[in-house]
Amino acid sequence: MTLTAPPAARPAASGPDLTRAALSGRRRFTNHLATSAIWFAVLLAVIPLALVTYTVIAKGGGVMSLSFLNEDIPNSYRREGGGMGPAIVGTLLITGMAALMAIPLGVFGAIYLNEYGKQRPLARVIRLMSDVMTGVPSIVMGLFIYISWVLLVGEQTGFAGALALACLMLPVVIRSSEEMLRLVPDELRQASMALGARKWKTTLTVVLPAAISGITSGSLLAVARAAGETAPIIIVTGIVFSPNWNLFDGSNTALPAQIFRNASQPFEAAQDRAWGAALTLIVIVLGFTIIARFISSRFAIKER
Amino acid sequence: MTLTNNPPATKPTLTQRGSSALGDRIFSWWTLGTGLLVLAILGLILITTVREAWPAFDAMGLRFITERVWDPNPATGDAIFGALSFAYGTAVSSLIALLFAVPVSVGIALFLTELAPRRLRGPAVTVIDLLAAVPSVVFGLWGILVVAPALVPIYQWMHDVFGGIPLLGRLFGPVGSGRNFMTAGLILAIMVTPIITSITREVFSTVPRADKDAALALGATRWEMIRGAVFPHSFGGVVGAVMLGLGRAMGETIAVALVIGGATNITANLFSPGNSMAAVIVQQFGESTGTFTAALIGLGVVLFAMTVLINVLAQVVVRRAEARMKGSVA
């Protein structure tokens, strides 16, 4: 049998050398070069993130205090002190109102796409157009709301800002919710239908609850994105220097708009306020993002 | 035993009619209505903005896009609204952004799909997610107050070294404040990297395992495997991802408005201030009236048309690539 053959008899010299050393120098060099280039690309993405985070924390932390979060915005960029209270109020109210409008509509739109439209031509068009709408520049959405709401009502209001943000959030909510509805197993729908539930009842009481964690986290990410939108706020909400709690009456302001206005000023006081506002905004946005990640990792539907 | 002994007195009706069926119909109409809202909003954007911009289109005609002068308040004569300089600024800053962002994004996507040890994959994804989460105005603030001043010496050095070369040197002209096309392009590059990365990564991850294994089994190095198996498979998808990034870069307003310098200018010099269409709107909208406002909205119309066109094309390309991918896996 072959088992008895001594190891020394193996023809070592004639077999192909499969070790790495057999590769030609050029091929090994190219491979190393490509690998280092890929690592370098990752490094290039980390550097700006680290620098932005560091600068915002360092400069924003310097002006951060309870009074900064509370006090009114000085009506002259030159003046020292003051705070971002009105902008924080505006950001929370406007974003909240936008979420109240966009999330229910977006979820129902997703229900249409996944439960009714499926692969019909109309549903495919809506799906494509939602993706396209995600790419519509926020400034264009601002112009749209300015023309169709601000000119109609006759004044810039916080609600106009909420409308613009809602339009920006809508396609994001639709597409992320649809993805989540798609993950709900069909057996759940069939079981509910077999028990005699109508389709609307099945959808609202079985399918939606099963997907609710994913929908919530997707919507929160959309809210986080919207909270940082600047251009539409500048165009449709105007500006105030003391808090305006009424979205429907009078101008309003928000953190991103304040960052923009203060950043382009040559005065150090204004720039300090911009950094402080940036830190506040990032904390708010990151807060939403982290909550969203937590919900999606903790309560996600397990893919089978 | 008699199976047919006790027939139920009244058969349960399994088809309910009446209010519940109506509820079903109302519900399906309602969801359809919300779905149609997307189409309605896109349609309304087009109609209302075109109507509102009409005075400017009417006054300027085709010169609105071929004229490089933008003078809303001339000392004498009629105001001139030509978008060419701003279209140029949009194009140059977006192209610079892609020039830097595409190689980096493809690199990160390759890192995530082919190279990363499992321990590093999570943190790398988090970095990309966080980059996407930072609001654009914060990048703008960082750009105008930190990056632009810091880059001036580097720009100056590049001008000294490359400025003398004929033709190529014109790209590296005299340096001003650091707020210029180049800085805008760099900031945009940071902002579009997460988008291009996430789509490219999805495309790369659909490359069939068998193809990659086959390449490696034939003795290919990892790089040769990537070139021979991953790239040809995902070319279409990567093109789509780049186009989506381009659409985002063109529409980005605030960061560009802060760092591009704000000058109506067509020049080859990358170190010279300029302006982009989106940035002009947000800078000048507050102080505009009448035809001036109409002209700014007109810029919005052009921007809307261009981004929708690019996005539709990109989505079609990505979808087609994905469909082909699924076909080849099956």
Side-chain angles (χ1 to χ4, degrees), chain A residues 105-128:
Chain A
L105 287 174
V107 170
F108 278 115
I111 289 177
Y112 169 74
L113 287 181
N114 197 55
E115 309 292 319
Y116 290 94
K118 299 197 162 90
Q119 289 303 316
R120 282 186 208 143
L122 178 62
R124 296 168 76 131
V125 169
I126 292 179
R127 212 167 275 140
L128 174 69

Side-chain angles (χ1 to χ4, degrees), chain A residues 27 31 34 38-39 42 45 52 108-109 112 116 129 131 137 139 143-144 174 198 200 230 263 271 275 285 293, chain B residues 16 20 24 27-28 30-32 34 38-39 107 111 129 137 142 145 219 223-224 253-254 285 307 315 319:
Chain A
R27 290 178 63 197
N31 193 37
I38 290 174
W39 278 97
V42 178
V52 168
F108 278 115
Y112 169 74
Y116 290 94
M129 283 306 156
D131 285 345
I139 181 84
L143 290 175
F144 165 57
I174 289 183
R198 282 275 170 191
W200 68 270
T230 319
Q271 294 179 0
W275 286 114
V285 168
R293 289 261 174 275
Chain B
Q16 297 173 19
S20 193
D24 238 6
F27 186 71
S28 75
W30 166 246
T31 59
L32 174 63
T34 54
V38 170
L39 304 185
F111 179 79
D129 283 352
V137 67
W142 179 63
L145 295 182
W223 169 242
E224 286 162 348
T253 313
I254 290 302
F285 198 80
T307 46
Q315 295 292 348
R319 259 153 231 239

Side-chain angles (χ1 to χ4, degrees), chain A residues 23 26-28 30-32 34-35 37-42 44-49 51-53 55-56 59 104-113 116 122 124-141 143-144 146-148 151 156 167 170-171 174-175 196 198-201 203-204 224-225 227-231 234-235 255-257 259-265 271 274-276 278-279 281-282 285-286 289 293, chain B residues 15-21 23-25 27-28 30-32 34-42 44-46 48-49 51-53 103-108 110-111 115-117 120 124 126-142 144-146 179 190 193 218-224 226-227 244 247-248 250-254 257-258 278 281-283 285 293 296-297 299-301 303-304 307-308 311-312 315-316 319:
Chain A
L23 290 174
R26 196 180 55 82
R27 290 178 63 197
R28 247 186 305 171
T30 326
N31 193 37
H32 275 302
T35 310
I38 290 174
W39 278 97
F40 184 62
V42 178
L44 274 186
V46 176
I47 291 172
L49 181 68
L51 283 179
V52 168
T53 323
T55 326
V56 169
K59 301 218 177 186
L105 287 174
V107 170
F108 278 115
I111 289 177
Y112 169 74
L113 287 181
Y116 290 94
L122 178 62
R124 296 168 76 131
V125 169
I126 292 179
R127 212 167 275 140
L128 174 69
M129 283 306 156
S130 322
D131 285 345
V132 170
M133 194 169 158
T134 319
V136 169
S138 61
I139 181 84
V140 172
M141 214 58 97
L143 290 175
F144 165 57
Y146 182 84
I147 295 165
S148 56
L151 288 184
Q156 294 174 312
C167 286
L170 183 69
I174 289 183
R175 294 297 272 144
R198 282 275 170 191
K199 188 159 185 177
W200 68 270
K201 204 154 198 193
T203 307
L204 285 185
R225 266 220 92 86
E229 283 295 350
T230 319
I234 288 177
I235 286 187
L255 285 168
I259 300 173
F260 177 67
R261 286 175 199 279
N262 283 294
S264 39
Q265 298 299 325
Q271 294 179 0
W275 286 114
L279 181 59
L281 181 64
I282 282 197
V285 168
L286 272 192
T289 313
R293 289 261 174 275
Chain B
T15 53
Q16 297 173 19
R17 301 236 165 262
S19 62
S20 193
D24 238 6
R25 214 168 306 151
F27 186 71
S28 75
W30 166 246
T31 59
L32 174 63
T34 54
L36 288 175
L37 196 60
V38 170
L39 304 185
I41 291 176
L42 283 176
L44 276 176
I45 293 177
L46 189 64
T48 56
T49 50
R51 201 194 58 200
E52 207 60 29
V104 171
S105 307
V106 170
I108 300 172
L110 285 176
F111 179 79
L115 205 68
L120 280 182
T126 310
V127 166
I128 297 301
D129 283 352
L130 286 177
L131 263 187
V134 175
S136 60
V137 67
V138 175
F139 280 121
L141 173 69
W142 179 63
I144 190 175
L145 295 182
V146 179
R179 290 180 223 164
I190 301 174
T193 297
L218 285 171
T221 61
R222 181 152 48 200
W223 169 242
E224 286 162 348
I226 290 171
R227 249 186 40 185
L244 284 178
R248 186 60 59 92
M250 286 172 52
E252 175 48 45
T253 313
I254 290 302
L258 283 172
I281 303 175
V282 80
Q283 285 164 353
F285 198 80
T293 310
L296 290 174
I297 294 173
L299 288 179
V301 173
L303 199 59
F304 178 67
T307 46
V308 165
N311 271 284
V312 170
Q315 295 292 348
V316 169
R319 259 153 231 239

Side-chain angles (χ1 to χ4, degrees), chain B residues 1 6 29 36-37 43 61 65 117 154 171 188 198 202 257-258 263 327:
Chain B
M1 274 182 271
N6 283 331
W29 283 344
L36 288 175
L37 196 60
I65 40 175
I154 300 176
L171 290 178
L188 279 178
S198 65
E202 264 168 49
L258 283 172

